[in-house]
Amino acid sequence: MDSNNVTVIGLQWGDEGKGKVVDAIARTSRYVARYCGGANAGHTVVVDGETFALHLIPCGILHENVLNILGNGVAFDPAVFVEELAALHCRGVRAEAENLRVSTTANVVMPWHKLQDRLSETSLGNSRIGTTARGIGPCYSDKANRSTAVRAGDLVQAETLGEKIDRIVGIRNKTFAALYGAEPMDPAAIFDEYAAYGETIAPMLGNTGQILRDGIAAGQRVLFEGGQGSMLDIDHGTFPFVTSSSVTACGVPAGTGIPPSQVGTIIGLIKAYTTRVGAGPFPTEQDNEIGDSLRERGREYGTTTGRPRRCGWFDAFATRYAADISGVNELALSLLDVLSGLDELYICTGYKCDGKTLGAFDPAVMDAVQCEYDTASGWSEDISNCRTFDDLPDAAKAYVDRIETLLERPVGLISVGPDRLQTIVHHTQVEDLK
Ligand code: IMP
């Protein structure tokens, strides 16, 4: 079945600049839907020089005619949601039931999830994952456990919510005291806070899967906004140093309730280099002055946690794997301007393990690999004002061409700065982006 929907996903370890591309495609979409992760994401959009940093609410909220959806696959944190709503209202952005809906079956991040995330990470010491401490892993654990899960629809059922909170807090207080010597939580205070969130979100709750299926049947476009990056995927990433949801395009149907045939054109976001926050393997990492310089030029500090990001060269071997898993149709290359001023650039084209070149990418052996690099000439010009491919210096054009060859996919868009206007339309097949 043909589909005019679009899915935007990250192909690295997150922070690829998805917010800007989502914002561009949202203009011609009727729906923008999140399907994975939660407030661990941080999507930055710059509109007319004004910066919006969104964690939970889809970037489509900045567009008039978009109905924004938090799908069933999202780890829904009502505390962050209500805070984000207030911040948007303060800046005159409309965010209400008419343009923002939350799935009744999304699992809720409760205070014990955030507490567990922090306590567990602290107790792991050097083996910690380096999570965002947003309670994401514990929330999805409870989803899989079922009997200790709270779903968004529960927040508006005061009686059963109270019973659930009492029962679950009873269990968690015992386990947290035994495992970590933690102080007990007060179920009555949690109930008051979360029942109040329930009142705020009640008009926005709904069967979002049906809304999306109806919209698709009526020929309206849905844009699926990915969170994190494919190398952080719970199944296909660098486990255990991953997030706890399905962040590739494979997560879209399960996380929203649409058929797999409706995922549409899949755009894979890549940064012109690589970054990672938190622990875990990162073969092209430059823990040296090159990495420091990329961090400063690219302002590589987490939108959600403010942590400095680890920085390194572009890894074509890993991103090719990520693009293949999701069946990416075209690429969007971001932050190309950050590479200006480097004499020589390195692109990882493969890994060696025990002296042998690996035939295929395997996220399970990334700890023990050495990178094989191609080199490319750098360029000194500031490219942030380039608006067409022809405006770019030859070395920058060659770098883009090399990425297209190695990933065997066209680069549809090139971003040379945070503003909406700092975008070069290259080989995109998405009609509205041309
Ligand atoms: P969690 O999702 O908070 O459990 O964190 C698990 C891992 O995913 C950690 O390494 C985080 O730094 C990373 N992570 C989670 N969300 C993002 C994101 O939006 N961008 C980049 N890294 C992320």
Side-chain angles (χ1 to χ4, degrees):
M1 187 197 293
D2 278 346
S3 168
N4 72 342
N5 298 332
V6 177
T7 293
V8 174
I9 57 164
L11 297 186
Q12 294 158 320
W13 279 281
D15 310 312
E16 298 94 349
K18 292 178 288 290
K20 182 173 161 179
V21 174
V22 168
D23 177 63
I25 301 169
R27 267 181 291 165
T28 49
S29 302
R30 173 66 187 115
Y31 305 90
V32 177
R34 288 266 317 255
Y35 61 92
C36 67
N40 49 349
H43 295 172
T44 306
V45 186
V46 181
V47 186
D48 300 330
E50 247 196 285
T51 303
F52 294 85
L54 296 161
H55 296 286
L56 201 50
I57 295 182
C59 296
I61 202 74
L62 303 173
H63 293 269
E64 262 307 301
N65 300 316
V66 172
L67 177 52
N68 294 276
I69 303 262
L70 289 178
N72 57 279
V74 169
F76 176 66
D77 185 332
V80 174
F81 183 76
V82 166
E83 212 175 279
E84 238 167 64
L85 276 185
L88 287 168
H89 292 161
C90 256
R91 296 172 74 175
V93 178
R94 187 170 64 109
E96 56 198 22
E98 215 183 305
N99 67 338
L100 182 58
R101 307 299 293 274
V102 179
S103 168
T104 47
T105 59
N107 279 256
V108 178
V109 178
M110 297 296 289
W112 51 86
H113 294 135
K114 295 184 214 189
L115 182 60
Q116 186 180 348
D117 206 351
R118 285 197 301 276
L119 293 170
S120 158
E121 283 283 275
T122 307
S123 74
L124 282 169
N126 286 339
S127 310
R128 67 180 169 275
I129 291 165
T131 71
T132 58
R134 296 293 179 120
I136 302 297
C139 173
Y140 284 120
S141 302
D142 276 338
K143 173 181 178 178
N145 193 44
R146 295 150 297 167
S147 60
T148 45
V150 176
R151 308 215 286 184
D154 293 330
L155 296 177
V156 292
Q157 308 287 335
E159 198 172 315
T160 47
L161 179 67
E163 284 165 14
K164 266 198 176 181
I165 290 177
D166 280 347
R167 177 169 55 80
I168 301 168
V169 169
I171 300 169
R172 294 292 175 249
N173 277 348
K174 279 190 206 143
T175 49
F176 293 172
L179 291 173
Y180 312 111
E183 292 294 319
M185 294 171 284
D186 174 6
I190 296 175
F191 171 77
D192 289 345
E193 183 182 345
Y194 282 72
Y197 294 143
E199 280 176 28
T200 307
I201 65 162
M204 299 178 204
L205 284 176
N207 181 346
T208 54
Q210 191 63 51
I211 295 173
L212 291 172
R213 290 190 299 276
D214 287 347
I216 291 169
Q220 295 169 323
R221 172 187 272 178
V222 188
L223 167 57
F224 298 101
E225 176 179 354
Q228 293 80 49
S230 303
M231 302 305 292
L232 288 169
D233 184 86
I234 181 77
D235 288 293
H236 306 293
T238 49
F239 192 91
F241 301 101
V242 293
T243 190
S244 303
S245 64
S246 295
V247 305
T248 69
C250 312
V252 171
T256 58
I258 58 109
S261 56
Q262 288 301 334
V263 168
T265 302
I266 302 166
I267 301 183
L269 250 295
I270 44 174
K271 228 177 234 195
Y273 48 97
T274 311
T275 60
R276 167 162 212 173
V277 249
F282 180 1
T284 63
E285 181 170 16
Q286 297 300 300
D287 191 9
N288 53 33
E289 68 281 6
I290 293 170
D292 293 344
S293 136
L294 289 170
R295 184 176 310 109
E296 291 320 308
R297 291 151 184 267
R299 296 172 294 280
E300 294 292 357
Y301 295 88
T303 318
T304 303
T305 58
R307 289 180 289 178
R309 296 178 184 141
R310 299 157 65 192
C311 297
W313 297 118
F314 183 74
D315 189 338
F317 196 44
T319 45
R320 168 70 199 255
Y321 158 81
D324 287 348
I325 288 176
S326 287
V328 162
N329 300 103
E330 65 179 60
L331 306 162
L333 178 64
S334 65
L335 292 135
L336 188 62
D337 53 303
V338 173
L339 295 183
S340 289
L342 291 169
D343 294 336
E344 195 172 37
L345 304 171
Y346 287 71
I347 300 179
C348 173
T349 55
Y351 297 159
K352 269 194 171 154
C353 194
D354 295 330
K356 289 195 205 96
T357 298
L358 288 185
F361 183 90
D362 180 355
V365 300
M366 281 177 84
D367 254 339
V369 297
Q370 298 85 47
C371 294
E372 294 175 331
Y373 284 109
D374 263 8
T375 54
S377 304
W379 58 91
S380 56
E381 297 90 331
D382 172 8
I383 59 170
S384 58
N385 290 319
C386 294
R387 294 292 176 269
T388 68
F389 191 68
D390 283 341
D391 292 343
L392 290 172
D394 287 344
K397 285 185 198 157
Y399 190 74
V400 176
D401 291 348
R402 188 85 189 107
I403 288 176
E404 287 192 322
T405 307
L406 288 168
L407 270 65
E408 289 190 66
R409 281 156 174 99
V411 169
L413 294 179
I414 302 165
S415 173
V416 291
D419 200 88
R420 269 183 190 172
L421 298 172
Q422 292 174 297
T423 306
I424 295 172
V425 175
H426 192 35
H427 288 144
T428 187
Q429 293 305 308
V430 180
E431 232 13 84
D432 314 273
L433 291 178
K434 288 182 183 168

